[in-house]
Amino acid sequence: QPRAVGHGDRARGGPHHRRPPPDHPRRGHPRPNPPTGPQVPTDTHTPTSSAPPAEPIPATLRVVTHARWLADDLAAAAPPHVNVIHDYGLDLDPADAHLAAWWCPQKHAARLLNSGTGTLFTAPGPQFTERLPHGALGRTVIASHYNELWQHENVWADRPVHAKLAEAKLNRLPAAVYPNLDAFRAAANAAGIPGTAWVQLSNPVEMVTEARCWILHREVVAASVYLHNGQTWDAFTSPLDTEWAAGWAAGVVKRIHHQPDTYTLDVARLTDGSIVAIEANPAWASNPYHAQLGPVIDCILASQQADIPRSRQRNPVPWVWTPDPALPHNRRHTLPWRT
């Protein structure tokens, strides 16, 4: 059955996942075969440089998860210059904490910054989704500080609203369809959400299939369906087709004037067959599902500038991520340094 957006959102949230069965294919679709038929001849007289290609810069990617198999899969897909390390997120290794790139939940990223690692995470930000090109959303979507929800009472005063934290995922306040805005406000108050936290409100729509697209330099480089007819990705017998999602997302991405170097864009096919954007998320906090892991690693590394000395970093760094006030953000929420 199709679902109203918000039901089961944890299945598509950040790095939350269940281990698929042993014979379950975790990889994305293989790359398509090269085209057949007449080809444009190659100009054999084109001069080429005799200089050897530049060596890639070594990188360390720490994968913070309880699922060891996911870190192992990323390690198997990583190029030789990328060292993937499984990390339970309990402490910091002084040998590489200041230089490593991270794949982790946003609450762990907040603790990293509180601990002084200096990692520069990038993200699309809380208002990116509502500013997508005309027609991409298929519904009203509004991002607002929690303490400014009163400005939108006339929209959802007496009708259902899909509401969620825009920049954090907390079990005590799940994304869901609420009877009205007051019902969401009551749940948020009970959860202790601070007034400056960002929330996202939208009209509920019935989604049949949902997919995540990985964007790198304005191109869709990987994609995976994570929910279809109420069934989550880990129950699929094989990865589902993503051409419909990747093709549609590619068209939207080309129309966005300003965007991060990399991020993920979740899209959905509705009951009427139309396709809409759901939300955008940071690449470093997005579950790969069945996507090809090589391009996913490229996106994760591009989403932060951890391995570039501060003197060489772009200043200011565009699309820099700031922890939402709903996340742990004080000095008590730090990580111990390994000795």
Side-chain angles (χ1 to χ4, degrees):
Q1 295 295 320
R3 71 180 185 93
V5 60
H7 297 175
D9 281 82
R10 191 180 180 198
R12 65 172 173 82
H16 166 78
H17 33 258
R18 296 183 295 275
R19 182 184 181 93
D23 59 346
H24 186 270
R26 304 192 193 103
R27 299 288 190 267
H29 296 295
R31 294 184 181 276
N33 294 325
T36 59
Q39 301 294 307
V40 177
T42 302
D43 182 1
T44 58
H45 299 288
T46 302
T48 58
S49 172
S50 59
E55 289 291 329
I57 300 175
T60 297
L61 171 59
R62 285 192 168 271
V63 180
V64 180
T65 176
H66 64 277
R68 178 60 183 260
W69 61 264
L70 178 58
D72 290 344
D73 282 359
L74 287 166
H81 69 282
V82 178
N83 180 31
V84 177
I85 300 175
H86 179 220
D87 193 317
Y88 285 107
L90 302 178
D91 57 12
L92 293 171
D93 186 345
D96 64 17
H98 292 286
L99 299 176
W102 300 82
W103 183 88
C104 60
Q106 294 189 22
K107 61 182 180 181
H108 186 81
R111 296 185 72 185
L112 288 173
L113 298 185
N114 294 341
S115 303
T117 61
T119 306
L120 291 180
F121 294 100
T122 60
Q127 296 177 290
F128 186 83
T129 300
E130 73 168 357
R131 294 173 177 174
L132 287 174
H134 177 73
L137 295 170
R139 66 202 188 282
T140 299
V141 176
I142 292 174
S144 169
H145 287 296
Y146 177 56
N147 58 11
E148 296 176 349
L149 287 184
W150 59 269
Q151 300 180 23
H152 311 291
E153 288 181 345
N154 61 323
V155 182
W156 290 287
D158 55 2
R159 59 174 177 160
V161 57
H162 176 263
K164 63 188 287 290
L165 292 171
E167 290 284 275
K169 290 178 171 61
L170 303 178
N171 292 337
R172 64 181 185 270
L173 186 66
V177 175
Y178 295 83
N180 51 50
L181 194 56
D182 281 343
F184 172 68
R185 186 183 286 111
N189 287 340
I193 302 303
T196 52
W198 282 94
V199 298
Q200 181 177 297
L201 311 173
S202 62
N203 292 332
V205 290
E206 295 292 329
M207 301 183 180
V208 178
T209 307
E210 300 177 32
R212 171 160 293 165
C213 298
W214 293 75
I215 316 300
L216 180 62
H217 304 313
R218 296 179 173 268
E219 299 288 341
V220 178
V221 297
S224 173
V225 171
Y226 57 81
L227 192 67
H228 177 65
N229 285 334
Q231 188 179 54
T232 54
W233 69 282
D234 51 328
F236 299 163
T237 56
S238 62
L240 301 187
D241 172 67
T242 58
E243 288 188 8
W244 63 273
W248 185 88
V252 172
V253 167
K254 292 184 185 302
R255 296 166 53 201
I256 302 175
H257 296 297
H258 303 289
Q259 58 188 291
D261 289 340
T262 185
Y263 58 98
T264 60
L265 182 65
D266 291 351
V267 304
R269 178 179 282 150
L270 307 184
T271 53
D272 63 3
S274 61
I275 303 174
V276 300
I278 303 174
E279 65 180 8
N281 289 297
W284 49 267
S286 295
N287 194 324
Y289 304 117
H290 286 299
Q292 288 183 326
L293 295 182
V296 167
I297 292 173
D298 292 339
C299 291
I300 296 170
L301 295 179
S303 69
Q304 47 205 284
Q305 297 186 343
D307 58 346
I308 303 176
R310 276 198 177 275
S311 60
R312 292 174 52 200
Q313 288 170 349
R314 289 175 292 175
N315 186 22
V317 178
W319 305 99
V320 65
W321 177 75
T322 301
D324 189 87
L327 294 169
H329 61 283
N330 57 48
R331 293 183 178 180
R332 292 179 302 159
H333 297 93
T334 59
L335 291 163
W337 288 88
R338 193 176 306 168
T339 57

